[in-house]
Amino acid sequence: MTYALTQAALAGAFAITYATATVEPVTTFSDMFVDDLMADVLKLMVYLGVGAMLVYSRPYLAARGLFRGEYFVLVLFATLGMMVMISANHLLTLYLGLELLSLSLYSMVALQRDSATATEAAMKYFVLGALASGMLLYGMSMLYGATGTLSIAELSALAVSGGARDLVLVFGLVFIVAGLGFKLGAAPFHMWVPDVYHGAPTAVTLFIGTAPKFAAFAFIMRLLVLGLGAEQLLAEWQDMLVLMAVLSLAIGNVTAIAQTNLKRMLAYSTIGHMGFLLLGILSGSAIGYGAGMFYVAVYVLMSLGTFGMILLLSRGGFEAEYLDDFKGLNQRSPWYAFIMLLLMLSMAGIPPTVGFYAKLAVLQAVVDANYLWLAVVAVLFSLIGAFYYLRLIRLMYFEAPVDTAPIEPRADVRVLMSLNGLAMLVFGIFPESLMGLCNYSIQASFSF
Amino acid sequence: MQYITPLWPAYPELFLLAMACAILVADLFVSDETV
């Protein structure tokens, strides 16, 4: 019953968000909360992502005794945290949303109390997450010290007019970017990502790896682009993001090659993908931000499918988390092997899947911003990254199966997984709709 | 109503919060088998 109520809550929130969506930004709660088109689109994507995550997770959770009311309540509180972050127009609202999301996620990772790895992962996540929150708060306090305000709109106005103490502002910016890097899982602040992805129950890993990325994107847009996007500050954080993007692309893609555990491999792949997201943001243009939003949407879709496939192949007492567990998948189920093929091609950025267009859009924005060398570096590391995705395809199609258990998912999982995989192809052939929506929502929400 | 209407941009958040609380209460009366 709580599962059905949770899905109903998400459906209701979807309907209300759709009904109250506005092109013109509207504020409430003393201007601490803003509802604009970017927020509406991101929230709609969050509901879809969380709803799909719940469908994929259901059999997995039931087989492990985790299909309980508290799981769904934590999911809803985490979703609420994301929504608050997405609509935040004030540093306190932003922090409130972030902590609501983070605390729910820490609890969810630790939900499997009998598992030593899950408890260890939760502990690491909590300690490093708390460190990141501390950095963010310290940075925010410096911004307050430099400008005398916590409102993002006022912060932006003061930064543009030069009415802020620049040195303190830049120091605050450094702490904020570091905190953001931690939360995003971008190198060199990525050390928690593989351990948490690996140690958490796969259903929770699926959750951590998908919808919160929308909130992280909104966080960057609100705080860095809107609040600290003045020309003299843009140059400061652009340099920091360049460094983080290159390191993320390098560490993520190179280290993923050495992994035999699929969850760890996907964790490193996430770090690489976050590098690509940062490339879109650091280009500093509306097109770049639109490309970044498109990239996040595509990444979440790909992650949903890939982790969903791990859940689909897992069963009570067995986790299909090693690369060997995917050996001979084509012989066991040609359809799911094809779906996984589409997901892997998209992750690698190979046409005609949507992953190619996501990377292309980001690279175009980077080249337009005169960072040609950065685009070359990104392409090189994408090529390296393609190796470990293609290796999984080889295992599925050219190796004999190790696990021969029949694959019999529930009807809803079957339909959703098929739609998820085919979406890679459909959005790849017709990327304009999603890309147009992202670009339009960014342009309508920010006065570029 | 006069206090609620100005909050319309945050209706989705308010609804989700109310539902999360409702599920917390409902969970008290539901056995683990029928979750």
Side-chain angles (χ1 to χ4, degrees):
Chain A
M1 192 178 102
T2 44
Y3 172 80
L5 276 174
T6 308
Q7 289 287 23
L10 291 169
F14 188 99
I16 297 172
T17 305
Y18 188 77
T20 58
T22 56
V23 176
E24 284 298 311
V26 191
T27 60
T28 184
F29 285 112
S30 310
D31 289 344
M32 291 173 86
F33 185 98
V34 64
D35 180 25
D36 53 23
L37 198 59
M38 183 190 82
D40 290 327
V41 172
L42 285 175
K43 280 181 204 170
L44 294 178
M45 289 176 177
V46 165
Y47 306 139
L48 292 176
V50 175
M53 180 279 291
L54 287 173
V55 172
Y56 285 145
S57 307
R58 190 177 180 177
Y60 180 93
L61 293 170
R64 282 155 187 80
L66 298 173
F67 197 70
R68 298 194 302 254
E70 52 264 41
Y71 178 82
F72 301 111
V73 173
L74 286 170
V75 167
L76 282 188
F77 276 124
T79 309
L80 186 62
M82 290 178 228
M83 293 163 71
V84 172
M85 273 173 83
I86 288 171
S87 274
N89 198 32
H90 194 274
L91 295 185
L92 282 184
T93 331
L94 207 53
Y95 188 69
L96 183 77
L98 179 68
E99 282 306 290
L100 187 55
L101 168 64
S102 301
L103 291 171
S104 306
L105 290 180
Y106 305 147
S107 318
M108 287 172 74
V109 174
L111 211 56
Q112 206 170 12
R113 281 173 297 179
D114 299 337
S115 163
T117 46
T119 315
E120 187 189 329
M123 197 67 195
K124 279 181 187 165
Y125 195 18
F126 177 67
V127 171
L128 289 173
L131 189 70
S133 296
M135 280 196 183
L136 266 175
L137 274 184
Y138 195 42
M140 286 176 180
S141 71
M142 283 191 175
L143 293 190
Y144 181 70
T147 61
T149 181
L150 287 172
S151 160
I152 292 176
E154 288 174 19
L155 198 69
S156 168
L158 282 166
V160 171
S161 65
R165 275 175 280 180
D166 283 347
L167 189 64
V168 185
L169 208 56
V170 172
F171 262 103
L173 187 62
V174 171
F175 280 101
I176 282 185
V177 171
L180 272 175
F182 260 114
K183 294 290 178 190
L184 208 58
F189 310 105
H190 64 285
M191 52 292 269
W192 63 271
V193 182
D195 289 340
V196 172
Y197 272 45
H198 180 201
T202 311
V204 178
T205 310
L206 167 63
F207 188 48
I208 296 173
T210 52
K213 305 298 178 206
F214 289 123
F217 173 78
F219 197 133
I220 295 176
M221 288 304 292
R222 301 271 181 224
L223 193 48
L224 282 190
V225 177
L226 188 62
L228 302 165
E231 209 165 316
Q232 69 273 24
L233 288 174
L234 182 77
E236 303 283 352
W237 60 254
Q238 254 179 341
D239 291 344
M240 291 186 245
L241 292 199
V242 168
L243 190 67
M244 279 165 64
V246 172
L247 283 175
S248 299
L249 285 164
I251 293 174
N253 285 311
V254 173
T255 320
I257 294 173
Q259 307 305 317
T260 52
N261 183 296
L262 187 56
K263 280 163 78 178
R264 283 192 90 83
M265 189 190 98
L266 290 172
Y268 282 106
S269 133
T270 301
I271 297 167
H273 284 294
M274 288 306 110
F276 251 99
L277 166 65
L278 291 177
L279 288 183
I281 307 276
L282 69 84
S283 64
S285 64
I287 295 292
Y289 304 138
M293 188 170 166
F294 181 65
Y295 198 90
V296 175
V298 170
Y299 168 74
V300 168
L301 207 55
M302 296 186 302
S303 272
L304 267 175
T306 314
F307 282 110
M309 193 62 82
I310 299 178
L311 292 175
L312 191 144
L313 296 182
S314 300
R315 52 186 181 274
F318 174 72
E319 301 266 345
E321 60 179 15
Y322 288 96
L323 289 175
D324 285 354
D325 297 325
F326 282 75
K327 274 185 178 174
L329 183 62
N330 184 45
Q331 291 174 38
R332 294 171 65 198
S333 169
W335 177 244
Y336 292 122
F338 175 66
I339 297 290
M340 194 63 176
L341 168 82
L342 290 177
L343 290 163
M344 288 297 109
L345 289 180
S346 187
M347 283 257 189
I350 295 171
T353 55
V354 67
F356 169 74
Y357 288 98
K359 283 188 164 62
L360 184 69
V362 167
L363 291 175
Q364 274 175 340
V366 171
V367 171
D368 287 347
N370 293 322
Y371 281 110
L372 184 64
W373 69 271
L374 208 49
V376 173
V377 170
V379 171
L380 277 177
F381 282 115
S382 288
L383 282 175
I384 294 172
F387 168 78
Y388 57 85
Y389 297 123
L390 296 178
R391 180 176 60 186
L392 192 66
I393 295 174
R394 182 182 64 80
L395 290 175
M396 289 192 304
Y397 280 90
F398 301 109
E399 297 274 345
V402 175
D403 178 22
T404 51
I407 303 169
E408 292 163 341
R410 291 165 51 92
D412 51 354
V413 176
R414 211 161 44 221
V415 171
L416 196 63
M417 180 57 76
S418 303
L419 288 175
N420 198 160
L422 292 176
M424 299 294 109
L425 211 53
V426 173
F427 283 124
I429 297 167
F430 307 105
E432 301 85 10
S433 53
L434 189 58
M435 189 111 75
L437 180 68
C438 292
N439 283 331
Y440 180 62
S441 64
I442 292 285
Q443 278 161 3
S445 307
F446 301 89
S447 48
F448 293 119
Chain B
M1 212 54 197
Q2 57 175 323
Y3 299 109
I4 298 289
T5 312
L7 303 178
W8 71 264
Y11 277 175
E13 282 78 3
L14 297 174
F15 172 75
L16 207 71
L17 180 60
M19 284 300 285
C21 296
I23 292 170
L24 264 178
V25 174
D27 190 46
L28 292 174
F29 301 99
V30 178
S31 66
D32 277 357
E33 289 74 34
T34 54
V35 167

